Amino acid sequence: MRPAFYVLRPGGWRDYVTLLHPPYTLWHLSYIVLGAAIAPEWRPDRLGLTLGAFFLALGVGAHALDELKGRPLTTEIPRPVLVALAVASILGGAAVGVGAAVSFDLTLLPFVVFGGVAVVAYNLELFGGRVHTDLGFALLWGAFPVLTAYYTAAGRLRAEAFVGALFAALLSFAQRRLSTPVRDVRRRGALPEGPLFAAAESSLQALAAASIALAVCLVLLRAT
């Protein structure tokens, strides 16, 4: 049992790096780049704001909520700190989104509202866990970022936006199917081991690297 004073400790810096889950956060932020890059006009200022909003809500907020549900990342960050991080980051991401909508296009507001509700519903497994499924993950963390980034840049959605969203959804579906067994084992307090776990981990790392490389390629293509 942890000592009583444990709840007063904020956790070590390595716990916070782990909470960000860098390769997988960058993986899903790469979908933002994809959506912005396939839009008719290249708008790096809008891309930057969209990345900032999703980094706060997804990279920090979603992982903090997820850690509250069962410690799949095995950090020792106290629950009150995780709650504070989740609330601050999700509200911060929403504030960035509202600011972008006011500055560029008020029709972005439904994307902001939907994203804020989705991150809470998915990670806290609300509505009886109906959102917390393979399909929910694929749509919310794959397709939705692409569509949001595209719409932020273009002000409309065209066929290529939906094809890009399909790509991200399928890749995210594969990610969740590979990662779920590993996360379930970690939530039970055991260490993943064996060739199947090793293969799943290495496959996920390769897919993350490929998606990030694609995003860098698209930025270079549009920016030069």
Side-chain angles (χ1 to χ4, degrees):
M1 180 179 295
R2 290 169 177 154
F5 65 81
Y6 175 81
V7 296
L8 302 178
R9 296 174 55 194
W13 66 269
R14 290 184 179 85
D15 285 326
Y16 292 93
V17 173
T18 300
L19 184 70
L20 290 177
H21 217 14
Y24 302 104
T25 294
L26 290 174
W27 183 349
H28 288 277
L29 291 181
S30 73
Y31 298 150
I32 301 291
V33 176
L34 170 63
I38 63 177
E41 294 186 53
W42 176 241
R43 299 179 180 270
D45 55 335
R46 299 189 182 191
L47 170 60
L49 288 173
T50 310
L51 284 170
F54 271 84
F55 172 77
L56 288 170
L58 175 60
V60 181
H63 288 143
L65 291 176
D66 208 22
E67 196 70 349
L68 282 169
K69 287 294 292 184
R71 301 282 177 177
L73 298 175
T74 65
T75 73
E76 294 187 349
I77 301 172
R79 290 182 63 85
V81 177
L82 288 172
V83 171
L85 284 172
V87 172
S89 58
I90 292 172
L91 290 179
V96 173
V98 170
V102 171
S103 300
F104 306 132
D105 190 341
L106 288 177
T107 59
L108 286 170
L109 287 175
F111 288 87
V112 177
V113 174
F114 178 82
V117 172
V119 70
V120 175
Y122 179 87
N123 287 281
L124 291 184
E125 301 180 26
L126 303 182
F127 311 115
R130 292 182 180 88
V131 182
H132 195 86
T133 63
D134 293 349
L135 180 60
F137 183 86
L139 294 177
L140 296 178
W141 307 140
F144 179 66
V146 174
L147 295 175
T148 302
Y150 186 102
Y151 191 90
T152 302
R156 62 191 187 279
L157 295 174
R158 301 196 313 189
E160 64 269 20
F162 293 102
V163 176
L166 178 61
F167 162 80
L170 291 172
L171 198 57
S172 295
F173 184 84
Q175 175 191 354
R176 195 174 192 274
R177 293 302 295 269
L178 286 168
S179 64
T180 296
V182 177
R183 290 163 55 84
D184 288 344
V185 170
R186 285 176 174 161
R187 281 182 167 178
R188 293 196 299 267
L191 291 175
E193 57 184 24
L196 291 179
F197 284 114
E201 287 280 16
S202 60
S203 297
L204 286 166
Q205 291 167 5
L207 289 172
S211 188
I212 294 167
L214 175 62
V216 173
C217 176
L218 290 171
V219 170
L220 293 174
L221 177 67
R222 293 304 303 265
T224 58

